[in-house]
Amino acid sequence: EWFFDAGGEFPAAVTIPTATPLSTSRQTTRKRTLRLDHMTVQYASVRPGSGVRPGARLRVDIDLPARAGGGEASLFVVSPSGTTTVVPISLNAKGNGSRTIPFGATAQVVIVLSNGSLRFSGCTLEPFDIMFTCHGIPRDDQARYAYTATLLP
C-alpha cells in the first residue's frame, strides 16, 4: 500500500490454510475445486494425522485447465524441523498430473496451485509508451483448479 498509489485497493495476501489431517479413518481430501483469476495463487495444506506410519506416502492428483492457460502446480514439503522442499508436479497438455511423495515423516505438505495466465483479448497499448500490461480482458479468470490428496498407508 505504501509503494503503489492503488495498493490499498488490492485484497490482502492469501495465507496458507490450516492443514487438513489425513489418517486411516480419513484417507482423502476428496476432489476440491477452486476458482483462480489470472496471475493468482491458492494454497491447500495436508498433514499426517494420528496413527500414520512413518513410511506412508501421499498421492496428489491435479486437474487444471489446459496447459495453454498457464496453470502450474507444486508441493511444498515441510519437514518436522521446518525445512521446506519444493516438488514440482508435471502436467500434461490437458493440465492433469499427479505426484506421490513420502508423507508419514513430514510436518505438512502445502499444495500450490498457480494461474500464471498472461492471455488477454482486446489488447491496446495506447496511450501508453511502456507496456506493463496490454489493458485487455483476461481470458483465464475464474479458471477451475482442482486437487485430490490421498494417503497411501
Side-chain angles (χ1 to χ4, degrees):
E1 187 172 333
W2 58 270
F3 189 76
F4 293 104
D5 291 341
E9 296 175 27
F10 293 95
V14 176
T15 58
I16 296 172
T18 301
T20 301
L22 296 179
S23 64
T24 54
S25 61
R26 180 182 183 184
Q27 294 182 327
T28 182
T29 60
R30 297 196 178 133
K31 189 172 190 174
R32 294 193 178 165
T33 302
L34 306 165
R35 296 284 179 172
L36 275 72
D37 286 342
H38 72 291
M39 297 186 275
T40 62
V41 176
Q42 285 287 331
Y43 305 96
S45 182
V46 294
R47 66 174 175 80
S50 62
V52 173
R53 64 181 183 79
R57 296 174 298 136
L58 179 73
R59 178 183 167 125
V60 179
D61 296 301
I62 301 294
D63 180 5
L64 307 185
R67 290 277 298 150
E72 295 286 341
S74 57
L75 305 174
F76 290 179
V77 181
V78 183
S79 73
S81 69
T83 303
T84 302
T85 304
V86 179
V87 179
I89 299 177
S90 297
L91 303 174
N92 63 20
K94 293 181 179 180
N96 301 320
S98 67
R99 192 74 187 246
T100 300
I101 60 169
F103 183 61
T106 65
Q108 72 175 330
V109 174
V110 179
I111 302 163
V112 182
L113 303 174
S114 306
N115 182 344
S117 174
L118 299 175
R119 301 189 311 173
F120 290 83
S121 61
C123 290
T124 178
L125 298 179
E126 297 298 327
F128 304 97
D129 294 329
I130 299 173
M131 185 180 82
F132 291 105
T133 182
C134 79
H135 301 283
I137 299 167
R139 292 179 47 196
D140 297 300
D141 276 355
Q142 291 298 297
R144 187 184 61 79
Y145 283 61
Y147 71 90
T148 306
T150 305
L151 173 67
L152 305 174

